[in-house]
Amino acid sequence: GCGSSAAAGGGGGGIPKVGMDVFLPSNSAIGKVLEVDAGRNEIKIAEIGTKKEATYKFQDYKGKQKWKPISEEPSLAPFAPSFEVTATYRDAPTNGFIIGIQDDMLEVHFSPDEAHSVDKSNWKLGTAEKYKSADLKPGHSGAERPRTRTPEEIKKDEQKVKSYGVSYIHCGGCGQGVWENPCGCYTGGGKKGIFCQQCGKQATKSNEVCCGDAVGNGAQNQGYPAVLAAQ
């Protein structure tokens, strides 16, 4: 039946075991196996860095194995089991975690810089960059956070944000662009007034029309460049 063929299929390992560090290429996921449900063809892993638990199929519908032990992935094996690395980011050695492989490059996640460290709600709010395996040093020996951006780098982020085609890119409480470092409205300093989220111009009341719509009707889809890039 389907259950027996799934359990036997895949070759080279078949069903992963609890405690193994595994890589799922099609999901670009790396993590430690927490649970195995052979009947449902599912494994639950704790993803590297985030410790977030996620469930994946360990075989495809043809019974082909979708996972491999980290030891069988040459680009990842040198960094197991912690996947902590030091990489050059913003021109300085910075601590990060390998979280996946994309385009034959290792994807490294960095914590938010000091200016963005006010938000503790989402570990992945930091930045991810791609590196060749040879350009990464195992272990953490750099800065805990990337340095804050220079005015030139902020200007480049502004150009990126404005190229994404997202309309609402200014804070509704002070008018600042989302490419800037977090404003007082975000960090708890209080709002300065009512501002158009499309152009950043201040309004006198929420039903005042600016950029073709009442400023109080904004979509509120504000985000930082990494979030907008993902969208």
Side-chain angles (χ1 to χ4, degrees):
C2 293
S4 60
S5 63
I15 303 175
K17 293 180 173 60
V18 171
M20 290 181 72
D21 290 323
V22 297
F23 171 49
L24 295 100
S26 60
N27 302 106
S28 190
I30 305 169
K32 186 175 291 294
V33 178
L34 300 176
E35 296 175 15
V36 178
D37 188 331
R40 294 175 64 90
N41 178 30
E42 289 179 346
I43 55 171
K44 181 186 283 187
I45 68 170
E47 295 185 342
I48 296 301
T50 64
K51 307 301 182 194
K52 175 183 153 191
E53 296 182 6
T55 301
Y56 297 101
K57 298 290 185 186
F58 60 81
Q59 293 172 343
D60 65 17
Y61 69 97
K62 292 182 178 178
K64 184 179 178 183
Q65 187 171 306
K66 293 184 67 176
W67 67 280
K68 62 170 76 173
I70 294 297
S71 57
E72 292 180 14
E73 178 55 52
S75 61
L76 291 174
F79 306 105
S82 71
F83 301 97
E84 295 178 351
V85 294
T86 303
T88 299
Y89 180 64
R90 293 184 184 168
D91 308 317
T94 308
N95 295 344
F97 288 91
I98 297 171
I99 58 171
I101 300 179
Q102 289 190 3
D103 308 320
D104 296 324
M105 303 275 278
L106 299 182
E107 189 176 14
V108 177
H109 178 270
F110 300 100
S111 295
D113 64 25
E114 196 59 45
H116 290 82
S117 65
V118 291
D119 194 318
K120 306 285 193 291
S121 63
N122 186 343
W123 184 88
K124 284 199 170 182
L125 275 183
T127 308
E129 295 288 342
K130 298 172 189 172
Y131 295 86
K132 293 178 181 176
S133 181
D135 293 333
L136 299 175
K137 181 181 176 184
H140 281 170
S141 56
E144 285 300 313
R145 294 184 181 277
R147 63 164 173 76
T148 53
R149 295 171 299 160
T150 65
E152 292 76 17
E153 288 167 338
I154 292 174
K155 188 69 181 174
K156 285 182 181 177
D157 279 340
E158 177 184 357
Q159 292 165 352
K160 277 188 197 174
V161 169
K162 290 181 175 178
S163 75
Y164 295 151
V166 178
S167 298
Y168 300 91
I169 57 175
H170 293 266
C171 175
C174 69
Q176 176 177 294
V178 297
W179 53 86
E180 299 281 355
N181 289 330
C183 55
C185 311
Y186 186 76
T187 59
K191 297 184 178 182
K192 296 180 180 178
I194 303 167
F195 292 76
C196 176
Q197 293 173 50
Q198 297 185 69
C199 71
K201 181 181 175 184
Q202 187 166 14
T204 53
K205 51 188 184 293
S206 61
N207 63 354
E208 184 175 320
V209 175
C210 189
C211 296
D213 196 7
V215 293
N217 292 342
Q220 301 292 344
N221 61 345
Q222 300 173 52
Y224 289 94
V227 178
L228 292 171
Q231 292 175 347

